[in-house]
């Protein structure tokens, strides 16, 4: 990720965060197809926010997302938007599957985990996310 800087206004930055979202009640809701679709949804949403998806993966009950953002962005607003839009789209597109798991219009847990990526190298974090136990088809 050489020269992977964000130039915006008068700032040059390289800010990356690791986001973890869990399904409501930690239900094993994800299929491989759903994770692939969520990858596309999040990538498109991040582009709209002038951000860049670096890595994405998940398991049956949670996802990991590593993305780059610019310093004038409010992370809480971005994350709330990612959660609400992705929840709505997944519930629309996978309604039959999710109706067996949830009886209300819910998908994500109300909380989330987010950490800056200064403690470990990006390559270490990328390997960790790549090695998640994704559900089989």
């Amino acid at each position: 990720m050489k020269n992977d800087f964000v130039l915006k206004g008068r700032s040059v930055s390289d800010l990356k965060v690791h986001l973890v979202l869990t399904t409501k009640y930690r239900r094993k809701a994800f299929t491989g197809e759903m994770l692939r679709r969520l990858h596309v949804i999040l990538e498109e949403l991040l582009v709209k926010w002038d951000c860049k998806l670096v890595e994405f993966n998940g398991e049956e009950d949670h996802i990991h997302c590593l993305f780059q953002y610019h310093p004038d962005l409010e992370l809480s607003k971005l994350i709330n938007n990612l959660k609400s839009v992705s929840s709505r789209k997944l519930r629309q597109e996978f309604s039959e599957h999710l109706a067996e798991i949830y009886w209300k219009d819910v998908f994500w847990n109300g909380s989330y985990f987010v950490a800056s990526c200064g403690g470990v190298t990006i390559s270490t974090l990328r390997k960790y996310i790549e090695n998640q136990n994704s559900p089989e088809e």
Side-chain angles (χ1 to χ4, degrees):
M1 283 195 261
K2 235 183 215 178
N3 295 329
D4 197 20
F5 299 119
V6 173
L7 305 159
K8 189 151 180 135
R10 294 180 170 187
S11 69
V12 178
S13 64
D14 185 15
L15 301 172
K16 292 181 180 74
V17 295
H18 176 199
L19 172 67
V20 180
L21 300 177
T22 58
T23 58
K24 188 79 167 176
Y25 313 118
R26 289 299 292 246
R27 299 265 167 81
K28 297 184 183 305
F30 282 115
T31 64
E33 181 184 3
M34 287 177 72
L35 284 175
R36 284 189 297 279
R37 178 64 181 128
L38 181 59
H39 184 179
V40 171
I41 292 168
L42 292 178
E43 195 163 33
E44 290 172 352
L45 285 170
L46 286 167
V47 166
K48 287 181 182 178
W49 283 78
D50 292 328
C51 299
K52 178 183 171 188
L53 183 64
V54 177
E55 192 63 53
F56 171 87
N57 207 343
E59 296 187 7
E60 292 175 318
D61 64 351
H62 71 280
I63 62 144
H64 293 265
C65 182
L66 176 65
F67 64 91
Q68 184 176 37
Y69 69 102
H70 47 89
D72 60 342
L73 185 93
E74 286 185 58
L75 274 179
S76 61
K77 286 184 179 178
L78 169 61
I79 293 168
N80 286 333
N81 180 259
L82 294 175
K83 287 172 67 175
S84 62
V85 172
S86 63
S87 173
R88 185 177 62 250
K89 287 187 177 193
L90 290 174
R91 285 185 285 114
Q92 286 172 350
E93 296 176 25
F94 299 94
S95 57
E96 287 183 32
H97 170 70
L98 292 174
E100 298 171 8
I101 300 167
Y102 296 113
W103 294 268
K104 293 183 179 180
D105 285 341
V106 297
F107 189 77
W108 296 117
N109 187 343
S111 58
Y112 58 87
F113 169 84
V114 66
S116 62
C117 297
V120 296
T121 65
I122 295 298
S123 60
T124 301
L125 190 53
R126 181 176 272 192
K127 285 178 189 172
Y128 171 73
I129 293 173
E130 286 174 352
N131 290 324
Q132 292 293 299
N133 291 323
S134 296
E136 299 296 322
E137 286 301 315

